[in-house]
Amino acid sequence: MTDTFTPDLDLAYAVADSADRLVSVQVFMSGGSAELTGANITRELYDAARAGRAEPLIYTAAKELLDRIKPRDTVVFCTGFFDPPSMIDEMDGPLGCVALARMLCVTLDITPVFLTEVANMERMAGLAASLGLEVLDYELARTTPFKAAVMPLPIDHERAKAEAERLCAECAPAAMIAVEKPAPCPRGRYHTGKGLDVTDTVGKVDHVFAEARARGILTIGIGDGGNEVGMGAILDDILRVVPTGNVIGTPVETDLLVVAAIANWGAYAIGATIAAALHMPEAIHSLEEERRLTGTAASLGFIDPATGLANGWTDGTPPVCSEAILELLRQMVLLRLGRMNPQNPLQIPKKWAERHDPNTTVALWADHLARKEAAYFAGLSD
């Protein structure tokens, strides 16, 4: 938390309650397991995650981050989903990580560490730079604001265990957040939403989160399809709802789970809720920055898994969808804070009450409208 401002949790709750619903609206039926059924998978998984919880998922995640993080703490962001047949990482996940990392840099002065497969490390560094986060060695990055580090998530199990211990010991993160990061099924295999086995191409993230939880580090999972880190909390529902659930469903849990139609949107919503709590709407990245982030991701080769193209689309949705979600989240914060565009006429005080007693004004207009209506119908009868 900031040293000079007590977070406005009432406002954060109000924003998060709406944001939860906004980002869990399924707007597509292409890519992953959603393509295999006409059912609203996102809504059912969201309802399962929210069941028994008094507070919105987004609110709980934002509040815990505000409670746990101190200035200059490290936060680990784990992402990257290697997607056949294109054999490159997809858009969903990395963009949400970079946007949320930037938000936490602006508001809470964190040092972000992006954890991803070796083949994806260079792309993540380029993506972080597009929002002003220079990637350096960790020891150097932690000395200066708006610097970040990228660390490897090994595919090999033994290396992954060793790196998990090293990461947690060296960085002592205040929190670890996975955004659209594949996790293993009960048999230890990793799968795409459609059920393709990609075990030998993805980092063994289960070791990292097991180590983090054993050390009492806050863990948050953000996902959309049932095969991501954190979805273990609702495994029974995944088996029931997702057509490939018996293949892809994962038992890997996190302290908190956020379900969104597109995982990036869940990260955006957590960031907006933190901005609301701190009365800092300016910390939400702009539409211009969102377009730069998306354009950079496409130029670096991040793909839309629905088509396999590096065209700026995410999970079968064009960039305008993510832009719209981002802008709606921004307006939720701005409008509730009463900070509107000066050109917006709604910000101009209502002057009509100062000209007349309101009741007199209404009576005068009622008489005017009655005479106008009578004249109209009289003309029709002539």
Side-chain angles (χ1 to χ4, degrees):
M1 295 190 301
T2 61
D3 297 328
T4 59
F5 184 85
T6 300
D8 185 344
L9 296 181
D10 289 338
L11 178 59
Y13 187 101
V15 168
D17 197 34
S18 297
D20 251 32
R21 291 164 174 76
L22 174 65
V23 301
S24 62
V25 172
Q26 188 169 317
V27 298
F28 59 92
M29 279 186 60
S30 61
S33 54
E35 190 174 2
L36 304 176
T37 176
N40 191 337
I41 289 177
T42 304
R43 188 68 209 185
E44 295 206 48
L45 296 184
Y46 170 84
D47 287 343
R50 181 72 190 268
R53 290 184 176 271
E55 298 174 335
L57 305 179
I58 297 294
Y59 173 78
T60 305
K63 181 176 180 295
E64 283 297 314
L65 289 170
L66 286 166
D67 285 344
R68 299 283 193 105
I69 295 174
K70 304 183 300 298
R72 294 169 296 284
D73 274 349
T74 294
V75 176
V76 173
F77 298 86
C78 190
T79 192
F81 203 134
F82 195 77
D83 197 80
S86 298
M87 312 311 285
I88 195 169
D89 289 86
E90 64 168 278
M91 295 277 285
D92 196 18
L95 278 72
C97 279
V98 169
L100 183 55
R102 174 199 172 277
M103 159 65 68
L104 294 177
C105 283
V106 171
T107 56
L108 302 177
D109 191 21
I110 70 160
T111 298
V113 170
F114 299 107
L115 186 66
T116 193
E117 288 81 359
V118 169
N120 196 40
M121 290 175 68
E122 187 174 346
R123 278 190 291 273
M124 279 304 302
L127 197 63
S130 74
L131 285 192
L133 303 178
E134 183 183 13
V135 170
L136 303 169
D137 289 339
Y138 175 69
E139 285 302 317
L140 193 57
R142 64 190 301 200
T143 66
T144 312
F146 302 109
K147 308 298 183 187
V150 179
M151 293 188 179
L153 178 63
I155 296 171
D156 177 79
H157 275 286
E158 293 307 314
R159 284 199 195 102
K161 289 179 185 178
E163 283 297 309
E165 294 176 7
R166 185 187 68 80
L167 170 73
C168 292
E170 179 182 349
C171 300
M176 186 175 290
I177 304 169
V179 186
E180 191 67 6
K181 189 63 187 171
C185 71
R187 299 177 303 282
R189 308 299 291 179
Y190 290 69
H191 300 86
T192 66
K194 293 180 182 179
L196 181 64
D197 191 322
V198 291
T199 304
D200 295 333
T201 66
V202 299
K204 303 306 180 284
V205 70
D206 48 320
H207 301 303
V208 181
F209 277 80
E211 184 70 22
R213 298 192 80 190
R215 292 173 179 256
I217 297 166
L218 173 66
T219 57
I220 299 173
I222 308 174
D224 57 33
N227 56 341
E228 304 93 353
V229 170
M231 289 288 185
I234 55 171
L235 179 56
D236 289 344
D237 298 277
I238 291 166
L239 297 176
R240 175 180 58 83
V241 172
V242 180
T244 54
N246 64 327
V247 176
I248 73 170
T250 178
V252 177
E253 296 190 42
T254 48
D255 297 322
L256 302 172
L257 170 64
V258 171
V259 175
I262 290 177
N264 288 340
W265 299 353
Y268 290 5
I270 292 171
T273 301
I274 290 172
L278 299 178
H279 290 195
M280 291 180 66
E282 64 275 13
I284 301 171
H285 69 286
S286 67
L287 279 178
E288 179 183 355
E289 288 168 323
E290 170 71 10
R291 288 164 185 159
R292 186 166 69 243
L293 181 68
T294 301
T296 300
S299 69
L300 290 170
F302 288 101
I303 64 158
D304 170 23
T307 62
L309 296 174
N311 57 3
W313 287 44
T314 303
D315 283 355
T317 66
V320 67
C321 291
S322 294
E323 292 172 12
I325 292 291
L326 174 65
E327 194 56 29
L328 283 168
L329 289 168
R330 184 195 325 283
Q331 294 304 323
M332 284 182 192
V333 179
L334 286 170
L335 295 176
R336 288 181 181 274
L337 283 171
R339 300 186 193 177
M340 300 167 65
N341 189 315
Q343 302 304 314
N344 191 324
L346 291 177
Q347 198 170 14
I348 301 172
K350 291 183 178 179
K351 298 293 187 183
W352 64 273
E354 300 174 8
R355 298 180 179 221
H356 247 305
D357 171 69
N359 293 323
T360 302
T361 298
V362 171
L364 287 171
W365 273 88
D367 179 66
H368 167 74
L369 294 172
R371 285 187 282 107
K372 192 174 185 70
E373 183 175 298
Y376 173 82
F377 282 101
L380 291 179
S381 63
D382 289 343

